[in-house]
Amino acid sequence: MDFSEGYVSNEHRELHRSATESADPLSVSPLQLAPVSPRSPKSSRSPKSPRSPKSPKSPRVQGKCSNLSPRSDRQSHFQKDGRPKKGGSGGKGTWGGLLDTDDTNALDPNDPNYDSTEEYDHSNEKKPNTELENYKKKAIVIVEEYFATDDVVATMNEVKELEKPEYGYYFVKKLVSMSMDRHDKEKEMAAILLSALYADVFDPSQVYKGFSKLVESADDLIVDIPDTVEVLALFIARAVVDDILPPAFLKKQMAYLPKDSRGVDVLKKTEKSYLAAPLHAEIIERCWGGSKNTTVDDVKAKINNFLKEYVVSGDKKEAFRCIKDLKVPFFHHEIVKRALIMAMERRQAEYPLLDLLREAAEEGFINSSQMSKGFSRLIDTVDDLSLDIPNARGILQKLMSKAASEGWLCVSSLKSLSVEPERNTIEDSAAKSFKVKTQSIIQEYFLSGDILEVNSCLEQENSKNCATLNAIFVKKLITLAMDRKNREKEMASVLLSSLCFPADDVVSGFVMLIEAADDTALDNPVVVEDLAMFLARAVVDEVLAPQHLEEIGTQCLGPGSIGSKVLQMTKSLLKARLAGERILRCWGGGGSSRPGWAFEDVKDMIGKLLEEYESGGEIKEACRCMKELGMPFFHHEVVKKALVTTIEKKNERLWGLLDKCFESGLITMNQMVKGFGRVAESLDDLALDVPDAKNQFAYYVERAKTNGWLDNSFCFSKQKHAMENGTH
């Protein structure tokens, strides 16, 4: 501490020094003592010296100096005692004790370090929490009342009145968790209410999030509910059976959970013990006794009976009474499905049954989501129906068109039924307008090569991502490219792989091309060769999967047809040795956004990418570089180089990169198989540098099978591997 001359006498200096040396550092706050001049006639104060009588001193110093000045003088200059209280802290103007952690001090706007956003965030951070807390309290009350009354409609209305759809996930979580430690009756009631709330009150994403939260909290739930794993697994299975949770939920959640968590046990039990069992749907529906101890088969039988009675009598009131008496609003999609099947089987009953469904929708007996679900279920099984009902697909399309025209069915929420019927749902004027604009977009792309501009134009012209318009674009793109040189053909293939259209839309486009091939052949004599090459290129670029070729064949094959010739030539191209590389270079390109890119350049870029990551690079940056290559069909080279490097250096950092790429979908199983196959072919050469290369490779193959990268049938003996042809 610095004492300037004229501030403190020598006696005070000595007292301060002795007090500092003898004081316990932990018993006194780390305060800076301000200099105070004594009130002695012999000591004069500088006119510029600051007055700081409020600065605290250690107790020992004050005790020693209390007799140095008159009491009246001390009172006049020490109006407020700033000395620390007993314990070394607390006086006004002090800093508090060493271990004080008081956070109640308000922000000072005059402070040089003041940040206005800090105060704003602090003032607002409790608002959403308060809203959520209120929602939680009301949700608990609603659930308790529901378990007491068993009134689904009233409960749905109460949830709607909360007007907080963004907190729907919490209601789902609370409803399930509160029913888990109750009787089977409450569990069944909870499952019924979830089906009723789905889509009508809660967005599907909220239901999904609610179950995600339940799985994450399984470790906490098991403390109070010992059979959490079994009960929660059954709830998830029931949600999948009731179509309120997608089956993909299991695998997606498994990837985010720690391997040792109870949530993983729940998901595994759901998949293996419930969903994998024969007749699992019926078993799960009856697991808690069903709705009022009524089995699913009983409900289906009642639905079938009253529909038959209605067809004979035509009494709508009686039919609606039967619908009400069922008391299964979550199962009304079964009514829709069975009524449609009956209408397709008995054409004379078509009009009364459609009229019944129309009025049931208008009067609110069957809601829109159940109506759409009924049609969707029939679309999924239309191929099986075709075995018993000739032209079932065409009949169903007519029924859908009629329901949509009358306004009681939303066709846009349904899956596409087929190419031709869906094409009829697009107005001719809209399709013609899109074709004209599409031709202009493609011609401009052939001049500029700007893929981003094409994407932007398509988003404007096809904002709803209509499958029919996507198919029209595919057809127009390849038709225009076939009339041009190899450069445009290569650009068309690159654009097709960059647009990320759904595979079904691309299939539809190729079907349309093959159907129009007879007319195209008049202007292009080699249309079969061109179409076969475009189709093979789409498979190599992984725009289409090999099984899509069979799907195309079923839609446009005939004895001696052009479609048959195209598919036959396509398969021949794909079976040839080194087919992948040959097809990629068929028009002089390298399969990237830069036509003409040499494979050696790409291999060199992949090698540098892996070297940079191995030396400490970030996994996100490595994945970004792989995406920018724009060559998903060549990712087997990444697998090969990463695996060889791992074997040579015995460093598994690159193995982690492969794991991340597979989980994110960046590297597909097809590319994994090809990559491992190429390493298997070069094992003899690799063994010259790494003696135990074969043992290491066998170990990594087993790990890859465990991780799901490779199928269990994968074998790396030389005679069973021919992966260079681009197929497996």
Side-chain angles (χ1 to χ4, degrees), residues 435-707:
K435 288 179 182 178
V436 173
K437 293 176 181 177
T438 292
Q439 183 163 345
S440 175
I441 292 170
I442 295 171
Q443 289 174 344
E444 185 176 345
Y445 165 67
F446 285 154
L447 293 175
S448 65
D450 192 344
I451 295 177
L452 295 177
E453 180 64 22
V454 176
N455 271 317
S456 176
C457 293
L458 283 177
E459 288 178 0
Q460 293 178 1
E461 301 300 334
N462 187 13
S463 58
K464 295 182 179 179
N465 197 28
C466 175
T468 300
L469 297 185
N470 287 342
I472 290 173
F473 185 87
V474 172
K475 178 189 175 185
K476 199 68 177 177
L477 173 66
I478 295 177
T479 301
L480 291 175
M482 286 193 297
D483 291 332
R484 299 186 178 228
K485 297 180 180 180
N486 285 348
R487 173 182 175 273
E488 285 76 16
K489 292 176 182 176
E490 173 66 16
M491 293 177 70
S493 291
V494 171
L495 178 60
L496 192 60
S497 63
S498 302
L499 290 176
C500 299
F501 281 163
D504 290 341
D505 299 353
V506 179
V507 167
S508 301
F510 275 102
V511 170
M512 295 166 67
L513 281 164
I514 292 174
E515 289 174 348
D518 289 324
D519 296 332
T520 308
L522 299 175
D523 301 319
N524 182 8
V526 292
V527 64
V528 173
E529 292 80 359
D530 282 348
L531 280 178
M533 189 60 74
F534 272 108
L535 197 52
R537 177 63 180 270
V539 174
V540 172
D541 287 349
E542 295 190 348
V543 176
L544 297 178
Q547 59 263 31
H548 285 126
L549 298 180
E550 303 301 328
E551 184 178 344
I552 293 173
T554 59
Q555 297 188 44
C556 55
L557 277 185
S561 65
I562 287 183
S564 176
K565 295 177 182 178
V566 169
L567 286 178
Q568 186 176 356
M569 183 173 289
T570 302
K571 292 177 181 178
S572 299
L573 289 170
L574 291 172
K575 288 179 181 178
R577 177 170 172 75
L578 300 175
E581 284 75 5
R582 288 181 178 180
I583 293 171
L584 285 172
R585 300 181 70 84
C586 62
W587 293 307
S592 73
S593 56
R594 291 173 52 189
W597 224 354
F599 271 93
E600 295 304 319
D601 295 338
V602 178
K603 290 180 179 180
D604 185 56
M605 293 175 66
I606 291 173
K608 290 179 180 178
L609 183 155
L610 295 177
E611 287 176 6
E612 183 178 348
Y613 175 74
E614 189 185 21
S615 61
E618 294 183 359
I619 197 165
K620 290 183 179 180
E621 180 66 14
C623 293
R624 185 187 64 79
C625 293
M626 287 176 62
K627 288 180 181 178
E628 288 183 353
L629 283 177
M631 303 181 70
F633 49 85
F634 203 60
H635 283 169
H636 57 81
E637 182 69 17
V638 179
V639 178
K640 176 192 170 185
K641 286 184 177 293
L643 195 55
V644 169
T645 304
T646 302
I647 292 174
E648 288 177 342
K649 299 184 178 181
K650 294 181 172 60
N651 182 357
E652 292 195 355
R653 180 170 170 79
L654 289 176
W655 184 269
L657 175 63
L658 292 180
D659 188 38
K660 179 66 176 178
C661 291
F662 184 81
E663 285 183 0
S664 62
L666 190 58
I667 297 180
T668 63
M669 181 181 288
N670 180 28
Q671 294 296 314
M672 280 288 185
V673 172
K674 290 169 68 176
F676 273 81
R678 294 185 63 194
V679 175
E681 292 177 348
S682 62
L683 269 181
D684 291 337
D685 295 334
L686 187 59
L688 298 176
D689 300 321
V690 185
D692 64 337
K694 293 184 179 180
N695 293 334
Q696 287 195 59
F697 183 68
Y699 165 73
Y700 285 118
V701 167
E702 292 304 316
R703 281 187 62 180
K705 289 180 179 179
T706 303
N707 293 346

Side-chain angles (χ1 to χ4, degrees), residues 11-12 15-16 57 60-69 74:
E11 184 181 359
H12 270 136
L15 287 172
H16 178 266
K57 308 182 186 68
R60 184 161 183 168
V61 174
Q62 289 207 4
K64 293 272 186 181
C65 302
S66 59
N67 59 349
L68 295 179
S69 60
R74 289 201 312 272

